[in-house]
């Protein structure tokens, strides 16, 4: 089953996540087109990672600076091994956390066949095996590596529902597979495992869990990163309104986004549950945009576990805009 979005400017098809929908979505990818699809973290905007013409489309649709490399999604470890050279620590993390919300940066194999637009000319590749039945179904139906950044215009809030994707990218992409709301709600954690593991981006797998598995601390990259990542740009993840952090009550004109005992006008998690807050974060920011909130105050969120990634995204949302 498929239904055409009736927006007059839109040629973007919303596919059901059944076999027929996945086959049609895979066919768009096979023809060099763009398809957004759910993963457990956020919706990705997929293209055939081997085709520069297809990958160019991602950059165009997102309005993304072309120097930012993309994550390649594959169905399993064996498919990842065809693209990159695994280090012992990479195997250790892959075995523990794949499929899942973890992206590994590893040396690109010479014959991997990945478009240089995906790596932005780097000699490394970011790879991930997503843990979502629809993402898995699409990857298997397509049968190749899929480059996919989050399916939002560059600098805007990441999408956690098909409706979020349609609202910002309709008419600019071939289709979106509707797989409901994303369970994790934050982008994957990115670790460079080409040498001693470096945490490049906090995300859906808590750094503490990685460190427990590795049995040693991750190197934390701070300040100006040597590799430019859009998630590292200060004003990434921005809603339309201004954002003030660590607020326990709203000031005049502000809408308060609560957490735990700070009730707010809407809340990340009334019970103070960090996993629930992560899953809700981008949807609440989209809601605040839809409400026309011009000033947003956000309750304090603890810094441990998934709180580190939530606070990372909130700090970027609060940063001065470019
Ligand atoms: O959860 C996620 O990771 C989602 C879903 C769709 O998988 N994808 C996502 O992609 O967040 P994107 O493009 O928004 O973020 C990818 C990040 C960027 O910060 C990029 O710079 C970094 O991965 N990256 C990609 N290749 C890299 C490489 N070779 N070395 C270092 N960082 C890299
Ligand atoms: Mg993104």
């Amino acid at each position: 089953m498929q239904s055409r979005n009736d927006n007059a400017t839109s040629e973007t098809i919303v596919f059901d996540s059944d076999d027929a929908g996945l086959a049609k979505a895979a066919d768009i990818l096979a023809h060099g087109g763009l398809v957004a699809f759910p993963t457990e973290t956020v919706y990705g905007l997929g293209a055939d990672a081997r085709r520069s013409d297809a990958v160019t489309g991602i950059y165009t649709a997102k309005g993304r600076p072309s120097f930012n490399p993309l994550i390649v999604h594959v169905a399993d470890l064996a498919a990842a091994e065809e693209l990159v050279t695994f280090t012992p620590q990479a195997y250790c993390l892959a075995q523990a956390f794949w499929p899942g919300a973890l992206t590994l940066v590893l040396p690109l194999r010479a014959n991997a066949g990945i478009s240089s637009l995906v790596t932005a000319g780097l000699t490394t590749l970011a790879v991930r095996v997503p843990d979502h039945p629809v993402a898995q179904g699409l990857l298997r139906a397509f049968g190749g590596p899929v480059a996919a950044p989050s399916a939002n215009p560059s600098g805007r809030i990441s999408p956690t529902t098909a409706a979020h994707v349609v609202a910002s990218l309709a008419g600019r992409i071939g289709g979106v597979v509707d797989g409901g709301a994303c369970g994790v709600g934050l982008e994957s954690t990115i670790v460079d495992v080409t040498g001693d593991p470096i945490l490049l981006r906090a995300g859906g797998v808590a750094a503490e869990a990685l460190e427990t598995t590795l049995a040693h601390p991750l190197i934390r990259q701070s300040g100006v990163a040597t590799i430019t990542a859009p998630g590292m740009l200060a004003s990434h993840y921005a809603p339309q309104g201004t954002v003030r952090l660590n607020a326990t009550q709203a000031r005049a004109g502000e809408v308060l986004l609560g957490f735990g005992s700070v009730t707010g006008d809407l809340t990340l998690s009334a019970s103070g549950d960090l996993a629930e807050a992560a899953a809700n974060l981008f949807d609440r920011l989209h809601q605040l945009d839809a409400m026309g909130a011009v000033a947003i105050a956000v309750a304090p969120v603890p810094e441990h576990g998934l709180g580190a990634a939530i606070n990372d995204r909130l700090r970027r949302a609060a940063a001065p805009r470019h």
Side-chain angles (χ1 to χ4, degrees), residues 244-318:
R244 182 170 69 88
L245 302 180
N246 295 316
T248 49
Q249 38 192 349
R251 295 179 186 156
E254 284 181 339
V255 180
L256 180 61
L257 178 58
F259 177 83
S261 60
V262 177
T263 307
D265 301 291
L266 61 179
T267 184
L268 289 169
S269 167
S271 63
D273 181 288
L274 287 170
E276 183 185 31
N280 283 334
L281 175 64
F282 291 136
D283 190 59
R284 294 295 180 272
L285 295 179
H286 281 283
Q287 269 179 266
L288 288 159
D289 270 357
M291 289 164 62
V294 292
I296 301 162
V298 187
V301 175
E303 188 64 27
H304 61 83
L306 289 179
I310 294 169
N311 283 322
D312 170 76
R313 305 303 187 271
L314 287 171
R315 280 191 292 271
R316 292 175 204 284

Side-chain angles (χ1 to χ4, degrees), residues 37 39 41-45 62 64 68-71 73 101 103 105-106 118-119 122 124-126 128 130 148-152 158 186-190 192 200-201 227-232 236-237:
F37 61 97
T39 80
T41 60
V42 299
Y43 274 69
L45 179 57
K62 283 183 65 84
R64 178 177 194 157
N68 288 322
L70 304 173
I71 296 172
H73 299 69
T103 294
V105 173
L106 284 163
V118 170
T119 56
L122 296 172
T124 55
L125 180 70
R128 179 160 103 79
S150 50
N152 53 286
S158 294
L186 288 173
E187 296 88 347
S188 61
T189 302
I190 306 180
D192 180 328
L200 295 180
R201 179 176 74 183
I227 298 160
T228 307
M232 295 168 184
H236 209 60
Y237 309 104

Side-chain angles (χ1 to χ4, degrees), residues 12-107:
T12 299
I13 303 167
V14 179
F15 296 110
D16 286 344
S17 59
D18 57 8
D19 287 350
L22 291 176
K24 287 176 184 144
D27 196 51
I28 292 179
L29 293 176
H31 286 88
L34 303 179
V35 173
F37 61 97
T39 80
E40 73 278 29
T41 60
V42 299
Y43 274 69
L45 179 57
D48 185 339
R50 299 161 298 193
R51 288 179 61 159
S52 291
D53 60 336
V55 177
T56 301
I58 291 179
Y59 289 110
T60 308
K62 283 183 65 84
R64 178 177 194 157
S66 58
F67 51 78
N68 288 322
L70 304 173
I71 296 172
V72 169
H73 299 69
V74 291
D76 52 30
L77 177 61
E81 286 177 301
E82 290 176 17
L83 304 178
V84 290
T85 310
F86 273 71
T87 57
Q89 283 162 318
Y91 275 122
C92 173
L93 292 177
Q95 269 149 18
F97 296 101
W98 278 0
L102 176 67
T103 294
L104 299 176
V105 173
L106 284 163

